[in-house]
Amino acid sequence: MRFAIFGDIHANLEALQAVLKDAEAHEVTHYVCMGDVVGYNANPHECVKIIQDLECPVVKGNHDEMASLEDDLTGFNPLAEEAINWTRQQLTPEDKQWLRDLKMVRQVRDFTIVHATLDTPHKWGYVFNQLDAAASFNYQHTQICFYGHTHAPRAYIRDSSVKTVVLDKLQIEPGKKYFVNVGSVGQPRDGDWHAAYCLYHPERQLVELRRLEYDIWTAQDKIVDAGLPQRLADRLALGK
Ligand code: ZN
């Protein structure tokens, strides 16, 4: 058994295709999606369809929520707001219903998945430091929880205290808890433009970060052609 754990696709079809191709090459048997399938980039409907066809566990992201409702967008930054308004016009009623029905938190085998935090998942708080991670750990009942939302891969480990480690190859050790950010497929924000996702090998107790080249030029052209803000195309290349 081998898992591909990925999220924050944000309607970037080219990046999603690269991730799924890499996962297949690594003989992945199970897929798990951390949400934010839509928002920012130019292929929301296509990405929803691909994730639906995987028939895998998916949790809801804040962009999935906002794109599937008609609520006003107070609290979103202007760039995200423009993209959400555009995304709402691209999604079918069925796409929106599917997004609305996604759960906030799920347990998959022996691990948990959530988009933002376990302490208040519906508030979409960001885990940026050990203090934020400590609050989430209080609600974590499995040894590993995977999450997304910040678009920056890293792992928090709770032992006697909570520490942060750079995510590369992470060996899961008995007696410790892990809160692991799998990075973003479609809009990385850690200064690296390459699409990010994680492989999880339960038998080897190993989490492995993957970074992949993809056809970023096509993704950028589509953003511009769709009339979405130029800055959304530019930021892909900057990884922020
Ligand atoms: Zn996101």
Side-chain angles (χ1 to χ4, degrees), residues 80-100:
E81 184 178 333
E82 204 172 330
I84 288 290
N85 280 325
W86 181 85
T87 300
R88 284 174 174 173
Q89 295 163 24
Q90 309 304 314
L91 296 172
T92 66
E94 293 75 24
D95 293 341
K96 290 181 185 173
Q97 187 64 49
W98 181 80
L99 290 167
R100 269 197 299 277

Side-chain angles (χ1 to χ4, degrees), residues 82-221:
E82 204 172 330
I84 288 290
N85 280 325
W86 181 85
T87 300
R88 284 174 174 173
Q89 295 163 24
Q90 309 304 314
L91 296 172
T92 66
E94 293 75 24
D95 293 341
K96 290 181 185 173
Q97 187 64 49
W98 181 80
L99 290 167
R100 269 197 299 277
D101 288 345
L102 294 174
K103 296 199 165 54
M104 300 297 292
V105 181
R106 291 188 64 159
Q107 188 173 333
V108 183
R109 302 263 169 174
D110 59 348
F111 60 88
T112 308
I113 58 173
V114 66
H115 185 68
T117 74
L118 286 176
D119 46 326
T120 50
H122 54 285
K123 287 192 175 166
W124 311 115
Y126 289 89
V127 174
F128 280 131
N129 56 46
Q130 282 98 324
L131 207 63
D132 301 332
S136 193
F137 273 126
N138 287 333
Y139 294 83
Q140 185 175 323
H141 305 298
T142 53
Q143 190 183 16
I144 311 172
C145 177
F146 295 101
Y147 75 107
H149 199 39
T150 65
H151 299 207
R154 68 177 57 168
Y156 293 94
I157 304 173
R158 190 173 83 174
D159 195 352
S160 50
S161 62
V162 176
K163 65 174 198 268
T164 319
V165 295
V166 174
L167 188 57
D168 177 22
K169 279 190 165 68
L170 176 69
Q171 192 66 54
I172 304 300
E173 295 170 7
K176 299 180 182 177
K177 274 189 173 175
Y178 297 82
F179 194 55
V180 180
N181 191 303
V182 297
S184 168
V185 172
Q187 194 196 73
R189 294 182 195 155
D190 59 339
D192 180 349
W193 68 272
H194 295 83
Y197 82 104
C198 280
L199 291 171
Y200 172 48
H201 313 257
E203 290 87 2
R204 291 160 61 196
Q205 287 290 284
L206 183 72
V207 178
E208 186 185 344
L209 179 70
R210 303 278 307 154
R211 295 308 289 256
L212 307 170
E213 287 191 6
Y214 71 95
D215 184 0
I216 186 173
W217 304 276
T218 297
Q220 289 176 312
D221 284 349

Side-chain angles (χ1 to χ4, degrees), residues 58-73:
V58 187
V59 283
K60 189 187 286 185
N62 50 324
H63 287 253
D64 303 325
E65 178 170 86
M66 291 314 288
S68 64
L69 300 173
E70 299 302 327
D71 295 18
D72 95 356
L73 293 159

